[in-house]
């Protein structure tokens, strides 16, 4: 069994990356980022490389995110370098910036589970190819974090207030809704991927004519029909008002009453602090480009690493798996504006500063 976790290859003019941690749903470690970053820089400078394709090994996931368990253990002093709570996010975000600015076609095959850091290394790239197995989400509020990896930008590019809905709730989207939100640029059938990669391995002057013959209609999604209701409920300027609007929608007996009740119940399971941070993040970052988004997100991560809810959320959802996090504060009313302000305060010399683009 191959133990190399990032497999790098070449097929003609196509450079290939396979995230090879299927037993961990291809979650990315710091070592994985450190293998991928220099490879991308080399390919950017190599005139024989036409494009890069990134995919996940196994049948379940493209990439389920970053290795938050390792960050948890470092922050708790259980194992590893205590500096990992800063280094992991810094190097992850620097890689995302590299992907976003990559000078050649960068193609992510988002087949299967794509969450958190998996969205970071795909949605921020040029071409994102969804399949009938795509399941994409930003579930961070459920572990005491917030939607990061550039989500300040890409969630705000969703239609209406759909990005707020997805960022606050962690709701999952399929291929059709990924296209609707702009997370994906194309949809193909999963059994066409190998033929597509064969086609991409040649020299091409443009990516779109190569992808077009493989594109399919993914069928109907749910978000377009829900958007008017989402916009009514999630246009509010505080989380409590969003919950009130959802309660009114649920009580109305309308077509989306059940959705509203379920959405409200889901929000009430999330970290109250994370919910308020996320709404503030998406509000102030409405017009941010990627560099500003990542700088803000890095600042937020470092404040959160010094707090309680991230460690409690990871414990409850990933370590003990009792799914009963004890958030502090436990209710939204106890999360004051001043507390939220503190997460947005500068962190001085630890602020994220980017190196030159390749």
């Amino acid at each position: 069994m191959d133990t190399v976790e990032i497999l790098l290859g070449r097929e003609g003019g196509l450079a290939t990356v396979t995230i090879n941690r299927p037993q961990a749903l291809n979650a990315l470690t710091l070592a994985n980022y450190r293998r991928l970053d220099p490879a991308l820089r080399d390919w950017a400078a190599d005139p024989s490389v036409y494009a890069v394709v990134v995919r996940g090994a196994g049948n379940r996931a493209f990439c389920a995110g970053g290795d938050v368990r390792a960050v948890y253990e470092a922050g708790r002093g259980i194992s590893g370098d205590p500096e990992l709570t800063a280094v992991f996010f810094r190097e992850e975000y620097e890689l995302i910036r590299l992907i976003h600015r990559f000078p050649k076609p960068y193609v992510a095959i988002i087949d299967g589970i794509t969450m958190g850091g998996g969205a970071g290394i795909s949605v921020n790239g040029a071409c994102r190819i969804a399949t009938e197995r795509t399941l994409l989400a930003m579930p961070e509020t459920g572990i005491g974090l917030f939607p990061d990896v550039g989500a300040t930008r890409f969630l705000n590019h969703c239609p209406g207030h759909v990005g707020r809905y997805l960022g606050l709730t962690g709701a999952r989207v399929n291929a059709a809704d990924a296209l609707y939100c702009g997370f994906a640029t194309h949809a193909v059938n999963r059994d066409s991927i190998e033929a597509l990669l064969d086609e991409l391995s040649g020299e091409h002057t443009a990516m779109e004519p190569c992808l077009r013959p493989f594109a399919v209609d993914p069928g109907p999604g749910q978000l377009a029909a829900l958007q008017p209701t989402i916009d009514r409920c999630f246009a509010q300027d505080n989380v409590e008002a969003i919950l009130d609007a959802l309660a009114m929608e649920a009580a109305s007996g309308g077509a989306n009453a059940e959705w509203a009740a379920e959405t409200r119940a889901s929000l009430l399971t999330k970290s109250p602090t994370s919910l308020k941070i996320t709404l503030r993040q998406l509000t102030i970052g409405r017009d941010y480009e990627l560099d500003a988004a990542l700088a803000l997100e890095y600042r937020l991560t470092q404040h959160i690493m010094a707090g309680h809810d991230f460690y409690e959320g990871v414990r409850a959802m990933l370590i003990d798996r009792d799914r009963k996090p004890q958030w502090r504060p436990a209710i939204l009313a106890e999360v004051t504006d001043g507390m939220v302000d503190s997460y947005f305060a500068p962190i001085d010399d630890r602020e994220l500063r980017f190196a030159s683009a390749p």
Side-chain angles (χ1 to χ4, degrees), residues 19-267:
I19 309 168
N20 190 35
R21 303 187 72 223
Q23 75 287 352
L25 297 179
N26 297 320
L28 289 161
T29 67
L30 180 60
N32 300 153
Y33 292 136
R34 289 176 171 175
R35 180 163 169 78
L36 181 53
D37 185 287
L40 288 176
R41 293 180 187 276
D42 287 346
W43 290 330
D46 185 343
S48 71
V49 172
Y50 159 71
V52 174
V53 166
V54 182
R55 63 192 304 195
N59 296 316
R60 297 182 62 196
F62 166 67
C63 173
D67 188 5
V68 293
R69 183 168 185 151
V71 176
Y72 166 91
E73 291 178 350
R76 279 287 182 251
I78 297 170
S79 65
D81 181 356
E83 294 298 313
L84 185 67
T85 54
V87 172
F88 181 90
F89 292 104
R90 182 185 306 121
E91 296 195 25
E92 179 184 33
Y93 293 2
E94 287 172 346
L95 175 64
I96 287 168
R97 181 177 184 264
L98 173 63
I99 288 167
H100 185 66
R101 297 167 65 98
F102 198 71
K104 301 174 181 180
Y106 174 98
V107 183
I109 310 293
I110 51 175
D111 179 44
I113 296 168
T114 303
M115 295 184 179
I121 65 165
S122 57
V123 177
N124 292 298
C127 297
R128 295 89 66 186
I129 299 176
T131 76
E132 67 272 21
R133 291 167 54 90
T134 294
L135 189 159
L136 191 149
M138 298 299 293
E140 288 79 7
T141 58
I143 58 166
L145 199 56
F146 63 94
D148 65 329
V149 298
T152 303
R153 171 182 167 273
F154 65 71
L155 287 178
N156 271 314
H157 285 186
C158 294
H161 289 297
V162 168
R164 281 189 178 186
Y165 160 63
L166 296 176
L168 289 167
T169 65
R172 301 175 176 188
V173 302
N174 62 12
D177 285 330
L179 285 170
Y180 181 71
C181 291
F183 302 151
T185 56
H186 301 79
V188 304
N189 290 325
R190 188 171 190 267
D191 59 11
S192 298
I193 290 174
E194 297 306 324
L196 172 60
L197 295 181
D198 287 343
E199 180 68 20
L200 289 174
S201 65
E203 291 291 336
H204 300 279
T205 58
M207 180 65 65
E208 188 61 31
C210 184
L211 292 171
R212 191 179 301 122
F214 296 92
V216 298
D217 181 350
Q222 296 182 330
L223 290 178
L226 279 172
Q227 189 188 333
T229 307
I230 290 172
D231 287 352
R232 281 198 304 275
C233 295
F234 284 83
Q236 316 305 318
D237 60 5
N238 63 74
V239 178
E240 291 90 340
I242 289 172
L243 290 169
D244 289 345
L246 288 166
M248 290 180 63
E249 191 73 34
S252 72
N256 295 320
E258 183 177 355
W259 169 87
E262 291 174 352
T263 299
R264 187 176 187 278
S266 173
L267 284 171

Side-chain angles (χ1 to χ4, degrees), residues 287-303:
D287 298 317
Y288 281 13
E289 294 301 325
L290 185 69
D291 283 9
L294 292 173
L296 171 65
E297 291 165 10
Y298 185 75
R299 177 185 295 182
L300 291 173
T301 64
Q302 297 312 289
H303 287 300

